[in-house]
C-alpha cells in the first residue's frame, strides 16, 4: 500500500500533542475501506507523484535526460514522463547542461514563467558550478547564482539513474513540506517573491553577476598551521 | 521593387520582405527554448502566411570557449574537451583530434589500434544515425515511438563504450599513438553480438518507417539542396552525399586503414529531406559491413605505440590539420605548435556548423512546419555549432 499517503514522520508540524488517531486505528480503518489522512499528506502525495518537467535541453546532459525518459530507464515509473514544452504547464526545471552568459537570462525568464509550486534540479557539473568549462569567459559558474536550486546532481554527464535518484530525492523533499510554517512550499509563504530579477547581458559579465538574495559566495577561512 | 523577384540561390522564387503590395509579414522567433531546435538554437523566421520568406539563424547560446580553453591547456588535456564538442559522437571527435596531433608530432599508430578506432568510429556512426532518424521522425510528428526504438539501440552501443572506456557518452578513449586500453575478447564478442543484431533492427525500423506514406508526403521534395550550392557552401557528410556528390573522406583521404575495407558510398538523387533520411539508413548498412570486416580481421598486437609520449608532450614547432569523416561530415582540428606544451592555436572545423549555413536556402518557400524537419535532417549538435 505504498501508493496511499501515510503519516510522514515529521509531518506533525513540531507540535508535541499526541496524535488523535493511532497508527493501529488508522490501519484498522484502512482495512475497512476508510482512508483517513491529512490534507497536507494528500496534497504532497499528489504533487510529488506528478512532477512534470519542462522540455528544455541545454547541452550534453539533455541527451541523458532524454535517455532517462526512454524505454530502459523509463522516468514515467515516477510520474514525470510528461515533458511539457511550455513553462506555464511545468513544475520542474531541469537545468541540463552548461548555462552560458548569453543563455542565462532566458533560463531565468523561463523560471519566472513557471507557476508555483515549482522546483529546480541542477543536472551535471556545468549547471552546478560551470564544470569543465568554468575557466571560460562565457560560462555561468552555476545556475544557483540566480535561481534557487533544490537538487544538485553531480556528474559529467550524470547517468540517467542519477537523474532518477535526484527525482526521487526531490519527491521526498516535496513529501516533507508542510502547508504552514517555515517548511511550506515557496508559494504558500508570505515572504515569497515570485519573480527573480533577470540579469542583463552586459559588456563584460552579466549585470548583476549574481542575485544576492539567492547566492552568497562562500567565505574561505584559511587556518594557520 | 519588382513583383517578380529573382529566384534565390536555391532556385526558389520568394518575394522580397516588406513588400507593400502584399499583406503584413509575420516575424517569429523560434528558440532558444523550443522543443524541436535540438538544443539552444534560435531561428528568426519571417513568414508570409505559413511560407518562410526569410530565416536568420542565431547562434552562440552554447558558446563554451572550447578553442580558447584548448590554447590554455596541454595537448592531452584537450582530449576530454573534444568529447563535449559533438556529445553524441565522442569517439570520432577523439579520433580527429588524435590524428591532428599525430600529424603534428609524426607519431605512428599500431595496426590493432587503427582497427579498434575504425570499429569505434563505425559504432559511433550507427549510434548517431540511429538517434538522428529517431529525432527527425519525432520532429515530423511521430511522437515517441521511433525515438524509443532508436534509444533502445543506442543503449546497447553505449554499454559497449562504457565497458571499454568507463563512460557512456564522454569516452576520452584515443591517445596520441594509439588507444587508452585494449579491447578484451569478451568485449569483442559483445560487439560482434550488437553488430550482428543491428541489421535486423534496421529492417524493423525501415519496415515501420521508410515506406510510410505520411513520412514520404512530409519529406519528399522538402528542403531541396542543389549540388552546386552544397559544394559552394562547403557542406560535407550525408547532407552533401544526399545531393548526389560522391565525396567521402574515408575514400578520398583513406585515413587510418580504410583503404583495406570494402564498402560503398551511398548517394542521393534529389537532395531533399527524404534522401537525407535514406542516406543515413544506407550508411548504417555499410557501417555494419565495415564492422563485420574489422571484427573479423582484427590483428593482435599492442594498442599503443611503445615510444609514444603522454606526459611532457611537446611537439616540435609547426602546424597540422587532421580530419576524418565524422557521422555529421568532415570534422577537423587545425593546430599550430610553437614547441610549448600548449598549442599556439587550436581550431575546430565543425561539420554541423558549416552544414547549418545553408539552412535559409533550404527553408525559403517552405512552410514553417517544414523548417523543423529540415533542421532535423541537417543533424546539428549545438555543442559543436557554438563550441
Amino acid at each position: 500500500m505504498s501508493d496511499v499517503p501515510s503519516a510522514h514522520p515529521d509531518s506533525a508540524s513540531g507540535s508535541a500533542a499526541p496524535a488523535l488517531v493511532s497508527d493501529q486505528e488508522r490501519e484498522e480503518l484502512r482495512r475497512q475501506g476508510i482512508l483517513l489522512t491529512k490534507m497536507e499528506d494528500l496534497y504532497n502525495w499528489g504533487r510529488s507523484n506528478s512532477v512534470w518537467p519542462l522540455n528544455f535541453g541545454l547541452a550534453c546532459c539533455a541527451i541523458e535526460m532524454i535517455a532517462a525518459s526512454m524505454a530502459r530507464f523509463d522516468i514515467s515509473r515516477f510520474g514525470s514522463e510528461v515533458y511539457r514544452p511550455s513553462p506555464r504547464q511545468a513544475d520542474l526545471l531541469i537545468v541540463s547542461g552548461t548555462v552560458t552568459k548569453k543563455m542565462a537570462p532566458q533560463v531565468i525568464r523561463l523560471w519566472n514563467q513557471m507557476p508555483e509550486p515549482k522546483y529546480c534540479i541542477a543536472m551535471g557539473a556545468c549547471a552546478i558550478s560551470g564544470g569543465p568549462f568554468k575557466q571560460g569567459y562565457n560560462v555561468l559558474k552555476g545556475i544557483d547564482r540566480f535561481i534557487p536550486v533544490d537538487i544538485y546532481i553531480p556528474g559529467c554527464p550524470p547517468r540517467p539513474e542519477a537523474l532518477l535518484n535526484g527525482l526521487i530525492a526531490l519527491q521526498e523533499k516535496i513529501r516533507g513540506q508542510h502547508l504552514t510554517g517555515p517548511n511550506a512550499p515557496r508559494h504558500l509563504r508570505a515572504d515569497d517573491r515570485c519573480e527573480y530579477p533577470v540579469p542583463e547581458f552586459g559588456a563584460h559579465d552579466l549585470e548583476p553577476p549574481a542575485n544576492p538574495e539567492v547566492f552568497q559566495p562562500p567565505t574561505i577561512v584559511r587556518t594557520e598551521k | 521593387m519588382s513583383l517578380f523577384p529573382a529566384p534565390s540561390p536555391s532556385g526558389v522564387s520568394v518575394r522580397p520582405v516588406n513588400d507593400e503590395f502584399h499583406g503584413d509579414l509575420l516575424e517569429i522567433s523560434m528558440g532558444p527554448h523550443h522543443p524541436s531546435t535540438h538544443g539552444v538554437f534560435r531561428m528568426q523566421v519571417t513568414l508570409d502566411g505559413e511560407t518562410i520568406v526569410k530565416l536568420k539563424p542565431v547562434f552562440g547560446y552554447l558558446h563554451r570557449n572550447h578553442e580558447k580553453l584548448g590554447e590554455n591547456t596541454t595537448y592531452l588535456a584537450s582530449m576530454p574537451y573534444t568529447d563535449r564538442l559533438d556529445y553524441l559522437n565522442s569517439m570520432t571527435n577523439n579520433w580527429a583530434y588524435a590524428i591532428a596531433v599525430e600529424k603534428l608530432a609524426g607519431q605512428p599508430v599500431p595496426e590493432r589500434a587503427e582497427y579498434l578506432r575504425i570499429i569505434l568510429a563505425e559504432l559511433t556512426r550507427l549510434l548517431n544515425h540511429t538517434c538522428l532518424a529517431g529525432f527527425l521522425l519525432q520532429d515530423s510528428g511521430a511522437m515517441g515511438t521511433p525515438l524509443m526504438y532508436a534509444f533502445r539501440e543506442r543503449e546497447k552501443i553505449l554499454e559497449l563504450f562504457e565497458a571499454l572506456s568507463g563512460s557512456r557518452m564522454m569516452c576520452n578513449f584515443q591517445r596520441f599513438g594509439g588507444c587508452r586500453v585494449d579491447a578484451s575478447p569478451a568485449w569483442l564478442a559483445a560487439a560482434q553480438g550488437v553488430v550482428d543484431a543491428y541489421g535486423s533492427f534496421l529492417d524493423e525500423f525501415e519496415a515501420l518507417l521508410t515506406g510510410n506514406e505520411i513520412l514520404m508526403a512530409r519529406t519528399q521534395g522538402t528542403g531541396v539542396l542543389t549540388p552546386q550550392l552544397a559544394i559552394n557552401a562547403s557542406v560535407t557528410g550525408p547532407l552533401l552525399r544526399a545531393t548526389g556528390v560522391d565525396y567521402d573522406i574515408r575514400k578520398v583521404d583513406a585515413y587510418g586503414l580504410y583503404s583495406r575495407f570494402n564498402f560503398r558510398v551511398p548517394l542521393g538523387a534529389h537532395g531533399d529531406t527524404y534522401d537525407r533520411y535514406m542516406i543515413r539508413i544506407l550508411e548504417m548498412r555499410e557501417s555494419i559491413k565495415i564492422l563485420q570486416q574489422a571484427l573479423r580481421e582484427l590483428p593482435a598486437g599492442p594498442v599503443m605505440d611503445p615510444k609514444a609520449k603522454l606526459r611532457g608532450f611537446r611537439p616540435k614547432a609547426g602546424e597540422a590539420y587532421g580530419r576524418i569523416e565524422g557521422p555529421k561530415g568532415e570534422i577537423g582540428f587545425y593546430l599550430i605548435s610553437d614547441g610549448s606544451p600548449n598549442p599556439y592555436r587550436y581550431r575546430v572545423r565543425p561539420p554541423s556548423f558549416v552544414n547549418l549555413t545553408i539552412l535559409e536556402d533550404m527553408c525559403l518557400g517552405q512552410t514553417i512546419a517544414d523548417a523543423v524537419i529540415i533542421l532535423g535532417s541537417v543533424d546539428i549538435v549545438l555543442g559543436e555549432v557554438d563550441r
Side-chain angles (χ1 to χ4, degrees):
Chain A
M1 295 290 279
S2 62
D3 56 334
V4 173
S6 60
H8 196 268
D10 60 2
S11 64
S13 306
S15 61
L20 295 174
V21 184
S22 71
D23 282 351
Q24 288 87 5
E25 288 168 328
R26 195 192 289 261
E27 197 55 42
E28 178 58 33
L29 282 170
R30 185 176 289 167
R31 228 172 278 130
Q32 303 296 328
I34 298 167
L35 180 65
L36 195 65
T37 185
K38 279 187 283 184
M39 198 63 213
E40 182 175 279
D41 290 342
L42 194 65
Y43 179 62
N44 286 342
W45 170 72
R47 280 192 318 135
S48 65
N49 287 312
S50 61
V51 184
W52 290 3
L54 183 64
N55 187 355
F56 176 53
L58 277 167
C60 331
C61 293
I63 303 289
E64 290 295 63
M65 185 176 82
I66 297 166
S69 67
M70 290 296 150
R72 176 170 292 190
F73 300 103
D74 196 10
I75 204 169
S76 56
R77 291 179 292 160
F78 308 101
S80 293
E81 81 278 21
V82 196
Y83 280 84
R84 302 316 294 186
S86 165
R88 301 288 185 203
Q89 300 168 342
D91 307 313
L92 170 64
L93 177 67
I94 302 177
V95 184
S96 54
T98 317
V99 186
T100 61
K101 288 178 183 169
K102 187 170 181 180
M103 193 63 203
Q106 335 292 336
V107 176
I108 295 150
R109 209 165 279 141
L110 283 171
W111 172 254
N112 283 341
Q113 286 170 358
M114 284 166 62
E116 291 279 6
K118 60 188 173 186
Y119 300 91
C120 177
I121 287 181
M123 181 183 182
C126 293
I128 295 172
S129 69
F133 299 97
K134 187 167 186 165
Q135 311 298 328
Y137 50 84
N138 194 34
V139 175
L140 186 68
K141 292 161 188 65
I143 191 64
D144 57 359
R145 287 171 186 241
F146 288 104
I147 58 177
V149 174
D150 293 287
I151 303 288
Y152 296 87
I153 307 174
C156 188
R159 297 176 58 89
E161 293 99 319
L163 178 60
L164 296 181
N165 187 37
L167 181 70
I168 292 167
L170 180 69
Q171 288 178 336
E172 279 167 12
K173 183 171 182 172
I174 295 173
R175 283 192 206 110
Q177 288 184 323
H178 303 305
L179 291 180
T180 54
N183 194 18
R186 210 178 294 111
H187 65 293
L188 295 178
R189 292 205 296 258
D191 60 340
D192 167 52
R193 55 177 305 160
C194 302
E195 290 270 320
Y196 287 81
V198 179
E200 300 265 321
F201 188 60
H204 301 289
D205 199 351
L206 290 172
E207 314 251 348
N211 181 1
E213 286 182 25
V214 180
F215 178 77
Q216 271 86 32
T219 48
I220 298 168
V221 181
R222 293 186 191 280
T223 52
E224 298 293 331
K225 282 191 179 174
Chain B
M1 199 179 284
S2 163
L3 277 179
F4 302 102
S8 76
S10 58
V12 184
S13 179
V14 181
R15 65 182 177 75
V17 179
N18 297 326
D19 184 340
E20 289 173 9
F21 180 75
H22 296 89
D24 283 345
L25 296 170
L26 181 69
E27 276 194 39
I28 61 165
S29 171
M30 279 179 77
H33 163 236
H34 190 277
S36 58
T37 51
H38 295 233
V40 283
F41 176 61
R42 180 166 163 227
M43 296 186 276
Q44 278 182 321
V45 195
T46 309
L47 295 175
D48 174 17
E50 250 193 307
T51 313
I52 297 171
V53 294
K54 190 179 170 191
L55 186 146
K56 189 180 162 227
V58 184
F59 307 115
Y61 289 99
L62 196 57
H63 176 54
R64 302 192 280 196
N65 336 114
H66 183 94
E67 290 171 2
K68 195 68 195 165
L69 289 171
E71 287 163 17
N72 292 325
T73 50
T74 60
Y75 284 90
L76 186 58
S78 284
M79 187 65 88
Y81 283 105
T82 62
D83 290 336
R84 288 155 182 84
L85 267 178
D86 174 358
Y87 34 79
L88 284 171
N89 309 323
S90 58
M91 287 290 190
T92 48
N93 298 344
N94 286 174
W95 192 9
Y97 180 59
I99 279 190
V101 179
E102 281 156 9
K103 263 190 189 174
L104 194 63
Q107 171 71 53
V109 181
E111 198 182 7
R112 187 179 169 88
E114 294 278 22
Y115 268 85
L116 210 52
R117 284 177 175 188
I118 287 175
I119 292 171
L120 293 168
E122 295 304 324
L123 281 173
T124 305
R125 203 179 308 278
L126 290 180
L127 186 155
N128 179 70
H129 288 356
T130 311
C131 286
L132 170 103
F135 281 124
L136 176 61
L137 291 153
Q138 170 107 343
D139 287 347
S140 53
M143 298 303 284
T145 313
L147 198 59
M148 288 268 186
Y149 277 73
F151 268 68
R152 186 189 67 190
E153 298 306 310
R154 176 181 179 266
E155 292 293 337
K156 291 176 188 166
I157 295 175
L158 287 189
E159 269 184 358
L160 291 177
F161 285 178
E162 191 182 8
L164 195 59
S165 73
S167 176
R168 280 159 56 88
M169 283 171 73
M170 307 300 172
C171 299
N172 186 14
F173 186 68
Q174 311 294 352
R175 290 289 178 267
F176 316 133
C179 302
R180 204 176 70 205
V181 286
D182 197 357
S184 65
W187 187 88
L188 291 170
Q192 185 73 53
V194 170
V195 172
D196 287 342
Y198 220 86
S200 60
F201 157 69
L202 282 180
D203 293 341
E204 183 192 21
F205 199 69
E206 282 207 88
L208 285 169
L209 296 163
T210 299
N212 185 303
E213 202 176 331
I214 301 172
L215 181 73
M216 293 210 281
R218 192 77 205 283
T219 55
Q220 285 183 348
T222 308
V224 175
L225 179 63
T226 58
Q228 291 79 18
L229 180 64
I231 290 170
N232 286 345
S234 54
V235 166
T236 50
L239 206 57
L240 177 66
R241 292 192 286 276
T243 65
V245 180
D246 187 2
Y247 182 78
D248 188 324
I249 301 173
R250 288 177 291 178
K251 292 280 190 195
V252 175
D253 272 13
Y255 61 91
L257 296 175
Y258 270 115
S259 52
R260 292 189 193 176
F261 289 82
N262 295 318
F263 65 99
R264 293 179 303 153
V265 178
L267 295 178
H270 306 95
D272 57 0
T273 306
Y274 189 76
D275 272 14
R276 293 197 276 277
Y277 162 75
M278 273 316 291
I279 282 282
R280 267 120 183 173
I281 299 285
L282 294 173
E283 275 192 12
M284 280 196 272
R285 296 209 183 268
E286 295 302 316
S287 287
I288 294 170
K289 279 189 206 164
I290 298 173
L291 279 165
Q292 295 283 15
Q293 284 179 62
L295 287 166
R296 195 171 54 238
E297 295 163 7
L298 181 71
V303 291
M304 194 74 196
D305 188 43
K307 287 181 186 154
K309 202 174 173 191
L310 288 180
R311 295 190 187 282
F313 179 76
R314 283 166 183 260
K316 58 185 183 302
E319 56 186 89
Y321 178 66
R323 62 174 188 174
I324 66 165
E325 178 74 30
K328 293 179 165 60
E330 172 185 340
I331 173 157
F333 287 83
Y334 177 61
L335 298 164
I336 299 180
S337 166
D338 57 355
S340 65
N342 303 347
Y344 175 74
R345 180 77 176 93
Y346 172 94
R347 157 87 185 145
V348 187
R349 193 259 183 223
S352 50
F353 175 62
V354 178
N355 291 356
L356 199 53
T357 52
I358 37 97
L359 182 67
E360 180 174 19
D361 297 294
M362 289 197 287
C363 286
L364 286 182
Q366 308 280 336
T367 60
I368 180 74
D370 287 340
V372 168
I373 56 170
I374 292 169
L375 180 70
S377 71
V378 175
D379 191 10
I380 59 166
V381 160
L382 265 296
E384 189 178 70
V385 172
D386 293 338
R387 303 190 292 293

